């Protein structure tokens, strides 16, 4: 389960990151070549066809920082819809809460979205009712495999980010271009490497193996057959012998770098920024990386669907989507935000908001399924439970 934080100076404590993703360019293998996304059997949930009268409230499950008074109060003034927020700490918690039927919307990450879609817990989105989900939405967050199924959109994009390689440039004096400094047993930084502590990290190993062991035939780090999963686990077990520590808590990760325990490893751009120390640098290595993307989804049992649609449209505007992105520390989905001010432009540049070439090398999280999402039909891929069980063997 993925845990998220509002990464401001008063950051919250920790969580376990769990699930997994897909290509940053919209994977059309095993999908619809026109719209992108994925083709799988899912429940036939009806889509809202027109807006009606606002119900007066909307109940939202969201990551910390996604629903804040700075913009929710204005929404209430404009629409008459009071906003009731429930902050969730993990994707598993979000799925559980959405299945109670008590919530209208959720800010789902790729590891939760496919579970919700496959379970019939969320409805397809009528994008015609969301004018702000239009041409200004960055191309790389449209028609993606984690929220577009059988040609139908189930998510309204919020923001995205890559899992990057961070390093202490005073010690790692030659800027790395490859993940080999954290994966190879003979790394000069053995004992000073920090790594994710979650099953999601299996995908990071798979990304590395795609380049360095091509004979394994991995073409999507979230579509692993048993042989491929075994190879990724073997690499992770090798890495286990050279890591200084694993992290799930962003505060602990920052402390590990600042205190000198770790000098190189996996990070988010916002975590590097929060170190407030220019000696810490980052790079998206030549092999590419994993990443995450979030989207609003509406419950199939939403009691307040009209207010829900109004919220999804409101928060998709350049101004509000940008406020969410700056508050959390990620690339906004609405590219027009980048042109609203010098501060916005600087934020977008730092987080590569409109740089699709950058995100083409990022494999965004989604749930691993037995149906291989790389297009193979002659073999069964490993599912999330198998990934979870395999991860437990890495540090045992």
């Amino acid at each position: 389960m993925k845990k998220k934080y509002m990464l401001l100076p008063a950051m919250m404590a920790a969580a376990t990151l769990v699930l997994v993703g897909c290509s940053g360019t919209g994977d059309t293998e095993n999908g619809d070549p026109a719209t992108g996304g994925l083709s799988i059997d899912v429940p036939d949930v009806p889509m809202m066809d027109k807006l009606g009268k606002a119900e007066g409230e909307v109940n939202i499950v969201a990551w910390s920082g996604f629903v804040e008074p700075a913009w929710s109060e204005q929404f209430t003034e404009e629409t008459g819809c009071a906003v009731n927020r429930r902050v969730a700490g993990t994707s598993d918690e979000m799925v559980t809460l959405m299945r109670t039927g008590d919530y209208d919307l959720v800010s789902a990450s790729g590891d939760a979205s496919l579970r919700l879609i496959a379970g019939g817990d969320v409805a397809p989105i009528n994008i015609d009712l969301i004018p702000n989900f239009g041409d200004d939405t960055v191309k790389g967050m449209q028609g993606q495999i984690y929220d577009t199924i059988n040609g139908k959109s189930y998510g309204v994009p919020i923001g995205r980010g890559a899992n990057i390689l961070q390093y202490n440039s005073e010690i790692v004096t030659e800027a790395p271009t490859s993940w080999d400094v954290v994966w190879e047993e003979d790394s000069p930084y053995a004992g000073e490497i920090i790594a994710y502590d979650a099953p999601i990290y299996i995908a990071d190993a798979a990304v590395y193996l795609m380049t360095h062991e091509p004979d394994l035939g991995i073409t999507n780090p979230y579509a692993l057959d048993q042989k491929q999963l075994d190879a990724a686990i073997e690499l992770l077990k090798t890495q286990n012998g050279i890591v200084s520590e694993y992290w799930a808590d962003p505060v602990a990760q920052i402390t590990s770098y600042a205190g000198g325990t770790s000098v190189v490893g996996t990070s988010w751009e916002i975590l590097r920024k929060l170190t407030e120390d220019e000696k810490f640098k980052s790079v998206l290595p030549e092999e590419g990386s994993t990443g995450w993307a979030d989207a609003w989804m509406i419950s199939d049992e939403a009691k307040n669907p009209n207010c829900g649609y109004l919220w999804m449209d409101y928060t998709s505007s350049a101004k509000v989507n940008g406020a969410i992105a700056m508050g959390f520390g990620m690339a906004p989905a609405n590219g027009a935000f980048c042109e609203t001010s010098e501060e916005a432009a600087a934020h977008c540049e730092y987080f590569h908001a409109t740089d699709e070439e950058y995100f083409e090398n990022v494999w965004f999280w989604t749930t691993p399924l037995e149906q291989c999402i790389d297009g193979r039909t002659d073999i069964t891929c490993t599912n999330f439970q198998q990934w979870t069980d395999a991860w437990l063997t890495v540090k045992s």
Side-chain angles (χ1 to χ4, degrees):
M1 76 206 90
K2 181 166 76 109
K3 190 163 188 177
K4 291 248 187 156
Y5 307 82
M6 187 175 183
L7 294 171
L8 296 172
M11 287 189 301
M12 298 166 59
T16 313
L17 286 155
V18 176
L19 294 176
V20 305
C22 58
S23 114
T25 54
D27 190 341
T28 56
E29 300 178 52
N30 208 39
D32 185 325
T35 62
L38 181 68
S39 294
I40 59 174
D41 292 331
V42 298
D44 186 15
V45 178
M47 180 175 65
M48 191 166 173
D49 58 358
K50 62 180 180 180
L51 287 177
K53 182 179 179 180
E55 299 86 359
E57 67 174 353
V58 61
N59 301 303
I60 306 174
V61 179
W63 302 120
S64 179
F66 280 37
V67 181
E68 297 297 323
W71 49 88
S72 65
E73 290 179 356
Q74 181 64 37
F75 170 76
T76 300
E77 289 183 17
E78 293 180 8
T79 65
C81 300
V83 179
N84 305 313
R85 178 191 69 170
R86 170 70 180 267
V87 173
T90 69
S91 286
D92 278 357
E93 183 183 1
M94 286 189 169
V95 171
T96 298
L97 289 170
M98 287 299 287
R99 287 176 174 169
T100 66
D102 294 334
Y103 299 92
D104 304 302
L105 298 176
V106 61
S107 63
S109 297
D111 56 330
S113 58
L114 275 185
R115 281 186 281 171
L116 291 168
I117 295 168
D121 304 300
V122 292
I125 300 290
N126 186 341
I127 60 175
D128 291 337
L129 303 181
I130 305 177
N132 282 318
F133 183 12
D135 293 341
D136 289 333
T137 302
V138 294
K139 182 180 178 181
M141 293 196 74
Q142 299 184 38
Q144 291 298 305
I145 197 171
Y146 48 79
D147 64 8
T148 303
I149 306 298
N150 304 332
K152 297 179 180 179
S153 176
Y154 285 79
V156 177
I158 305 170
R160 58 182 172 172
N163 297 319
I164 46 91
L165 179 64
Q166 180 175 313
Y167 61 98
N168 183 334
S169 62
E170 292 183 353
I171 298 173
V172 184
T173 54
E174 184 176 344
T177 59
S178 168
W179 286 104
D180 59 4
V181 293
V182 302
W183 288 115
E184 298 299 332
E185 196 169 13
D186 61 354
S187 170
Y189 311 108
E192 300 176 291
I193 297 167
I194 192 167
Y196 255 151
D197 188 5
I200 191 175
Y201 199 52
I202 293 172
D204 291 66
V207 167
Y208 187 73
L209 292 172
M210 285 171 67
T211 297
H212 297 277
E213 292 192 29
D215 290 346
L216 286 169
I218 300 173
T219 60
N220 184 308
Y222 307 107
L224 305 181
D225 59 37
Q226 190 61 57
K227 179 181 177 181
Q228 294 165 340
L229 177 62
D230 290 344
I233 294 301
E234 182 179 355
L235 179 61
L236 286 158
K237 287 181 176 179
T238 297
Q239 188 195 51
N240 178 254
I242 60 174
V243 298
S244 54
E245 59 183 300
Y246 291 88
W247 70 279
D249 178 356
V251 177
Q253 192 260 18
I254 293 172
T255 301
S256 184
Y257 273 105
T261 302
S262 301
V263 301
V264 66
T266 308
S267 186
W268 303 334
E269 284 290 3
I270 185 61
L271 300 187
R272 180 178 78 87
K273 188 174 184 179
L274 287 170
T275 63
E276 298 181 338
D277 192 330
E278 288 301 315
K279 71 183 178 185
F280 296 112
K281 310 294 184 182
S282 66
V283 63
L284 183 68
E286 59 194 13
E287 297 92 351
S289 78
T290 57
W292 46 268
D294 296 326
W296 298 115
M297 307 185 87
I298 190 163
S299 171
D300 69 316
E301 299 180 351
K303 297 179 177 65
N304 307 290
N306 293 293
C307 282
Y309 265 81
L310 291 172
W311 173 264
M312 289 189 289
D313 186 51
Y314 173 79
T315 54
S316 296
S317 69
K319 179 181 177 180
V320 181
N321 180 248
I324 295 171
M326 290 191 71
F328 186 79
M330 62 181 174
N334 191 322
F337 167 71
C338 304
E339 302 173 5
T340 59
S341 69
E342 291 184 3
E343 182 183 20
H347 176 89
C348 288
E349 181 178 4
Y350 186 89
F351 289 98
H352 306 278
T354 59
D355 187 353
E356 294 304 333
E357 184 176 354
Y358 177 87
F359 282 109
E360 281 178 0
N361 296 313
V362 178
W363 295 83
F364 293 111
W365 293 338
T366 195
T367 309
L369 305 170
E370 291 183 1
Q371 177 180 329
C372 299
I373 61 174
D374 59 2
R376 289 180 292 171
T377 58
D378 59 343
I379 197 166
T380 299
C381 279
T382 51
N383 60 31
F384 172 63
Q385 186 58 55
Q386 290 170 288
W387 281 43
T388 302
D389 293 342
W391 176 252
L392 294 175
T393 71
V394 171
K395 299 187 296 176
S396 63

